[in-house]
């Protein structure tokens, strides 16, 4: 990874030119950099970075709802042929943006888009989470998981979340019941917290064996499992024998195809309302990074030791 000079983009039809203040780092960024994310369809050399927060510098023809000076955030690039957010400026599709939550800093806003959209598409669009349900979030202290907890709670659900011993306090602080997956089997926590019935919704943000565990933890007949990492080979027998259902979430699809981008903007606007009401706030790792130290930021995310979302400061 290197820091290079490129031409400043201009806002085309339907686009907004954003002066980027902060860029959120996600595990996908590190996989793209390592050449291990073919589904992201990135052809190097490319500007990476999925999430951004910044200020509108200019608007292109056909854009309404934004004007220079507006503070915005979004999941806007870094996949396909879309320029990423590790740059001072980006011309982005206006449909992928929303006004930044007033209650959040630029750094906090830059940490939200991918996690918020992924959680919303799974819990709300697919599973229809609502009050009275018991929701299990796999990987509750992770970048997506900690947002999923807050989103489910904002809908009135009773939330439980798995994690390692070091994440129990963080999960509890978010208002979920922490479950140490190292110390408690699936059968044990299903028996303890659901009287053996299973959880109404299980949101998997880990994949692999954890997705298999999710199939075994979901409620009979009416349970629903959602996963953003359901890419392996899995037996559906545990799910089928419960008469339960499954939905996959592929958050990048609107960015890669151009279809459904308006919904991403809609989700971000709903998220801003939640954040301004005090119901949604990202956990940030306290360490600071710049464009000159992006590699260190990626290394921290790849190590799995970050204490919250990692954000790169771009400007101001």
């Amino acid at each position: 990874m290197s820091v290079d000079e490129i031409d400043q983009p201009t806002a085309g039809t339907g686009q907004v030119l954003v002066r980027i203040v902060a860029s959120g780092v996600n595990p996908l960024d590190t996989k793209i950099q390592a050449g291990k994310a073919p589904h992201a369809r990135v052809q190097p050399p490319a500007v990476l970075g999925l999430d951004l927060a910044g200020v509108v510098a200019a608007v292109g023809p056909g854009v309404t709802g934004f004007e220079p000076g507006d503070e915005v955030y979004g999941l806007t690039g870094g996949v396909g042929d879309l320029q990423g957010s590790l740059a001072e400026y980006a011309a982005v599709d206006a449909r992928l943006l929303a006004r930044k939550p007033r209650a959040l800093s630029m750094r906090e806003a830059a940490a939200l888009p991918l996690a918020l959209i992924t959680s919303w598409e799974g819990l709300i669009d697919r599973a229809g989470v609502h009050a009275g349900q018991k929701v299990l979030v796999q990987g509750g202290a992770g970048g997506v998981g900690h947002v999923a907890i807050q989103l489910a709670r904002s809908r009135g659900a009773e939330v439980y979340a798995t994690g390692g011993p070091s994440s129990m306090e963080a999960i509890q602080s978010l208002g979920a019941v922490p479950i140490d997956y190292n110390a408690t089997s699936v059968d044990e926590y299903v028996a303890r917290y659901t009287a053996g019935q299973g959880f109404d919704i299980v949101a998997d943000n880990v994949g692999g064996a954890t997705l298999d565990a999710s199939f075994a933890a979901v409620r009979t007949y009416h349970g629903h499992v959602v996963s953003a990492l359901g890419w392996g080979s899995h037996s559906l027998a545990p799910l089928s024998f419960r008469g339960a259902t499954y939905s996959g979430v592929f958050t990048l699809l609107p960015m890669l195809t151009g279809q459904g981008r308006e919904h991403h903007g809609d989700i971000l606007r709903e998220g801003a309302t939640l954040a301004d009401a005090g119901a949604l706030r990202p956990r940030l790792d306290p360490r600071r990074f710049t464009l000159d130290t992006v590699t260190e930021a990626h290394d921290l995310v790849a190590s799995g030791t970050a204490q919250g979302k990692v954000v790169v400061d771009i400007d101001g």
Side-chain angles (χ1 to χ4, degrees), residues 8 22 60 85 116 235-236 249 281 298:
Q8 180 175 310
S85 56
L116 170 61
S235 171
L236 296 179
V249 175
R281 195 173 196 95
H298 278 212

Side-chain angles (χ1 to χ4, degrees), residues 214-246:
S214 300
F215 292 158
V218 72
R219 187 180 182 88
T220 301
Y221 293 128
H222 304 295
H224 196 93
V225 176
V226 294
S227 177
L229 291 168
W231 304 334
S233 297
H234 300 270
S235 171
L236 296 179
L239 190 72
S240 298
F241 289 149
R242 285 169 172 76
T245 53
Y246 167 80

Side-chain angles (χ1 to χ4, degrees), residues 4 13 43 90 96 126 147 192-193 215 221 229 259 272 291:
D4 297 309
T13 300
Q43 295 295 324
L96 297 172
R126 309 292 197 278
V147 172
R192 181 181 306 171
Y193 297 117
F215 292 158
Y221 293 128
L229 291 168
Q259 298 178 357
L291 285 175

Side-chain angles (χ1 to χ4, degrees), residues 152-174:
R153 293 191 71 243
S154 76
R155 292 295 175 116
E158 185 178 332
V159 185
Y160 302 77
T162 62
S166 63
S167 63
M168 295 294 97
E169 183 177 347
I171 289 171
Q172 190 167 26
S173 72
L174 293 166

